[in-house]
Amino acid sequence: MATTESMFVNGKWVASSDGKTFETRNPATGEVLATLPAATTADVDAAVKAARAAFENPAWRAMDPSERGRLLMKAAALIRARLDEIALVESLDNGKTLREAKGDITFAAQTLEYYAGLADKVQGATIPVPGPRMAHTIVEPVGVTAHIVPWNFPFQLAVRGIAPALAAGNTVVAKPASLTSLSLLKLAKAFEDAGLPAGVFNVVTGSGRVVGNHLASHPGVNSVTLTGSCATGIEVLQAAAKNVVPVTLELGGKSPNIVFPDADIDKAVKGAFYGIFLNAGQMCWAGSRLFVHESIHDEFVQKLVKMAEGWKLGAGQDKDTRMGPLVSKEQQDRVLEYVNIGLKEGATLAFGGKKPEDPALQKGFFVQPTIFTNVRNDMRIAKEEIFGPVLAVLKFSTDEEALRLANESEFGLYAGVWTKNLQRAHKFALGLDAGAVAINEYPITFPQVPFTGFKQSGIGSEQGMTAMDFYTRRKAVITNLG
Ligand code: NAD
């Protein structure tokens, strides 16, 4: 049964001011899942105003930071208690398997707990200066922070930025992707039930062009955090530039996963496989360029194909499903178009490349796990982010060649290296032009480990302690004691 949802502004559940709505669909069936408010620019103004008032209100501004931490901890406990409910909504809305959705929500709870613990550890320094003087710094929240969220990990990636922002004492206006807004409303409910003062956390639902753009260019916000595509990143950067506010961008990727003959091959096959087919390949850090040493290439590809043959497609909520649908019809069309491009470019289709034939899946936006071999780095399927279950396999013969090809990309988000030779592994960790390098595991991250896009994969860093720097500003105080 489709639901009718409200958005959360100034502690109240509201419709859009002009009453307009939009629908979100279950990508496994194409059926309407919920109707949501299509926020207007006036609604965004109201949310930013509420966040500003809440920021200046002593109920939040003067709150003991350890109390702030406890509130966030309480929200994290509510998220854990509601894990099944939130994961189900995420799975229905995005298409991902319930197992993956549960992993995402748990990761988000951990992230909130991690930053809750940092709320009372935001501190300045005393600095030695000449003369009868004293200098110290005050670290304070920046104000109202804007968060624009993608559809691939809607809950987890929203919390990734919102948790440090709130822990540092800011107030938040968040905008989910219009394809997947439901779980962010569950986050708002958890914050409301945990007792966050009205206006501290706001969610406005609607399109990127209207709501996202107005939020990013709003003179009332003090920072903008976007996770999304490079094209959106450029637009958001331009929008925020008008107000000279800092921006964190976590953008796309075309990550290399490099397998050497001395690796644990079965482990590497699994890592390479999960690295591209989890979340139906809709992952910024997907290991979409797989470099396999020529001496093990054929055996490795055979093992990948064998896994793909047994990979069950279906609705994310079905227990046996290993891969759900893509998020939308547009995404399905885009991925299938890339399969055509790959074929035209001369790559060999080793597996998949089509919609599944199962009659039960015809209404959903499914694409088979797809493996291309004989790929060259100059092909579009090796250069562009497809954002779907399409793996490009490339051969290499020497370490130097592998490193050169891996770095030959406009992206630099993530990379994998599979070898038992520690010297080689760490040479690659140094040489790879990527914000993270995973050795003998793929993909992997933790809330306490920074997540950074190099090159066109982004600006700034999320996760870990350093993310707190983005959500705070440092004021210097110099006192003359003479
Ligand atoms: P998207 O860029 O289409 O949308 C992201 C968000 O921006 C959505 O909320 C959207 O409504 C909004 N938006 C769109 N146009 C806007 C505009 N002009 N102004 C302001 N907001 C606007 O991205 P997506 O399709 O939701 O997500 C997929 C992309 O995100 C991929 O490129 C992927 O690699 C990237 N991603 C990056 C990371 C990372 O950590 N680096 C993580 C996940 C996804």
Side-chain angles (χ1 to χ4, degrees), residues 174-187:
K175 189 207 94 64
S178 47
L179 289 169
T180 56
S181 306
L182 296 174
S183 60
L184 204 60
L185 298 172
K186 299 279 177 203
L187 180 67

Side-chain angles (χ1 to χ4, degrees), residues 148-152 157 160 175-178 206-209 212-213 216 226-230 232 235-236 250-253 283-284 385 387 413 451 457:
I148 304 175
V149 179
W151 49 253
N152 62 338
L157 296 180
R160 178 171 79 172
K175 189 207 94 64
S178 47
S207 75
R209 295 249 153 254
N213 186 270
L226 167 84
T227 303
S229 61
C230 287
T232 305
E235 285 180 3
V236 163
E250 292 286 0
L251 309 177
M283 299 184 287
C284 56
E385 186 183 45
F387 221 57
L413 188 59
F451 201 88
S457 292

